[in-house]
Amino acid sequence: RNISTARQPMKHDTKNKAQWKTMGPAKVAVPSPKNFLKKHSKETKLPERKKEQESRKLPALSVLQRTNNPVMEIQSKKDFINANVVAAVTAVPKKPQPFCVDSRKGDKYLLETSGFVPKYIKKRDYGVTPKYVTQRNEEKRAQKEYEPSIQKAAMKQLPDEERTSLLQGLKNNWEEVYREFQRLPIHIDTISNRLYKEKLESQMRQLEHDIEIIEKHKVIYIANE
C-alpha cells in the first residue's frame, strides 16, 4: 500500500495543538429535551404587583356621595328676582357700534376704523401753531429789532459767501483738531499728554460753539474797520 511521506510530520504537528483549535470543542453539551420552546416564553413579563400598591387608597372624590346630606335650615334673605329686575332697570344701555355699509349686499365694517370719522380735529394740538413756526417768527422779530441798533453802531452785514467760507473753515479746523485728538494714546499716564488732551478738548468745544452760532444766525454783522 502506498503511504505518503508527509504523514509523519503532519501527525507530529497536530499533537501539540488543542483539539478544539480548528474544529470546535471536542465535547458539546447536548440540550435537555425538557427545555423545549414554550408558548409566550419570549414575551416580556410585567413585574409583579406589590402589596403596598394594593393597599393604597383611592383619592377622595370631589363629588358628594349619596350618603352626604345637605345642611338644612340655612336660607338667604336676598330676593334674587327683585335684585335682577332692579339691575336690569338701572343698567346703562350699551351703545351700538356704528357700521358703514358699502355695497347693496350689506357688506359692512366699523365706521371708527374706516377713516370717515374726523378724529384729527378732536386732538388737543389741533389748530395750534407749531413750535418751529413760533420760533421762526421770534427770530424774525428779534432780527428786526436788532438791525436798527447795529446800523447805528456803524456795522456792516457779512456777505453770504464769506459766511459760508467761514463756516467751512471752522469745520475743517475742527476735523484737524479731532484727528490730533484721535492720535493720542488710550492710556494717558504722563502730565504732558494729559495737558495736551485738555487743550484739544477745549479747542473742539470752542469750534463747536462757533459753528453752532454761525449756523443758527443767517445774518451776521461785523464792525467796520
Side-chain angles (χ1 to χ4, degrees), residues 84-192:
N84 293 337
V85 171
V86 172
V89 172
T90 57
V92 179
K94 295 182 179 180
K95 294 182 180 180
Q97 292 183 343
F99 287 97
C100 179
V101 181
D102 61 348
S103 66
R104 63 178 182 177
K105 294 182 180 180
D107 297 334
K108 58 183 180 180
Y109 51 88
L110 291 175
L111 187 63
E112 186 177 359
T113 58
S114 63
F116 295 111
V117 180
K119 288 185 176 182
Y120 188 76
I121 61 176
K122 297 180 181 179
K123 290 186 177 182
R124 293 181 180 179
D125 57 348
Y126 180 77
V128 180
T129 307
K131 292 183 179 180
Y132 72 93
V133 177
T134 55
Q135 184 178 2
R136 185 176 61 186
N137 294 335
E138 289 179 0
E139 290 178 357
K140 289 182 179 179
R141 181 176 56 80
Q143 186 68 28
K144 289 181 180 179
E145 293 177 356
Y146 182 67
E147 284 179 357
S149 61
I150 292 299
Q151 292 176 358
K152 291 179 181 179
M155 301 184 73
K156 66 177 181 179
Q157 182 179 351
L158 186 68
D160 293 339
E161 295 178 357
E162 295 183 6
R163 176 181 172 277
T164 305
S165 61
L166 178 62
L167 183 62
Q168 189 63 35
L170 290 173
K171 291 182 178 180
N172 295 336
N173 294 338
W174 186 89
E175 290 179 357
E176 292 179 1
V177 176
Y178 183 67
R179 288 195 207 97
E180 293 293 333
F181 183 78
Q182 286 183 327
R183 292 173 186 172
L184 292 174
I186 297 175
H187 181 66
I188 299 175
D189 53 353
T190 60
I191 298 175
S192 60

Side-chain angles (χ1 to χ4, degrees), residues 27 31 59 206 218:
K27 294 181 179 181
Q206 184 63 35
K218 302 297 182 182

